[in-house]
Amino acid sequence: DQQVKQNSPSLSVQEGRISILNCDYTNSMFDYFLWYKKYPAEGPTFLISISSIKDKNEDGRFTVFLNKSAKHLSLHIVPSQPGDSAVYFCAATLYNTDKLIFGTGTRLQVFP
Amino acid sequence: GAVVSQHPSWVICKSGTSVKIECRSLDFQATTMFWYRQFPKQSLMLMATSNEGSKATYEQGVEKDKFLINHASLTLSTLTVTSAHPEDSSFYICSARANNEQFFGPGTRLTVL
């Protein structure tokens, strides 16, 4: 039972354009959503997060949007850079827990 | 940010042997550490929550007698895969909590022949 889903296993974007990574969830008790970036053979690194009481959070080139009614969140990267090429995981936490529930990841490739 | 290390980074062992993986928080103390497992092209799955000075809490479906967790100090948690089998081959990642954020180690690739 995959509570956090990333339906696109891969995404290819030209440098300078916008990258949009999507994530859907099923559990309405999630209170925090996070995005992580991961390179091969390395652990994930935190990118940006959003509380369930907000609908947008922005940090530099990264913006996360949350649509609670649709149980959907997205990560926008603009402008995309080749160094952004990695696997991106969305994750969620349940109220009053530290447990992270991860999606399956989307491999982003930014080409020149 | 806080740094978490894991040792070894990769290990190959024979079926039936036990393997110990260490997770250390290098510049901070962590009362809580987490162990995850990632199979190829799948998500990171939480295996257990490791609490310093007490027993670990295991997720449903994870055998506590097979995956022994010891959190003996505020900077070290160990995961021992006992009597490893080929199906235990995976990427094991730990994380440590600091300031309400989880910092991940680089992971350990376990291959059981």
Side-chain angles (χ1 to χ4, degrees), chain A residues 2 4 6 9 38 44 87-90 102-107, chain B residues 36-45 87 89-91 93 109:
Chain A
Q2 190 73 28
V4 180
Q6 293 175 258
K38 184 180 181 301
V87 177
Y88 288 79
F89 288 92
C90 70
F102 282 87
T104 51
T106 297
R107 181 176 300 279
Chain B
Y36 294 84
R37 178 169 55 181
Q38 184 188 21
F39 292 108
K41 297 185 179 181
Q42 295 188 23
S43 63
L44 284 79
M45 298 297 292
E87 56 266 30
S89 298
S90 187
F91 192 57
I93 305 174
R109 170 74 60 193

Side-chain angles (χ1 to χ4, degrees), chain A residues 2 36 38 40-46 89 93 98-105, chain B residues 32 34 36 38 41-44 46 49 59 91 93 97 101-102 104-107:
Chain A
Q2 190 73 28
Y36 286 86
K38 184 180 181 301
E42 293 184 14
T45 55
F46 171 75
F89 288 92
T93 59
D98 293 317
K99 299 179 183 180
L100 283 169
I101 300 172
F102 282 87
T104 51
Chain B
T32 303
F34 302 89
Y36 294 84
Q38 184 188 21
K41 297 185 179 181
Q42 295 188 23
S43 63
L44 284 79
L46 178 66
T49 302
E59 295 301 301
F91 192 57
I93 305 174
R97 189 178 67 183
E101 187 176 340
Q102 284 192 38
F104 287 83

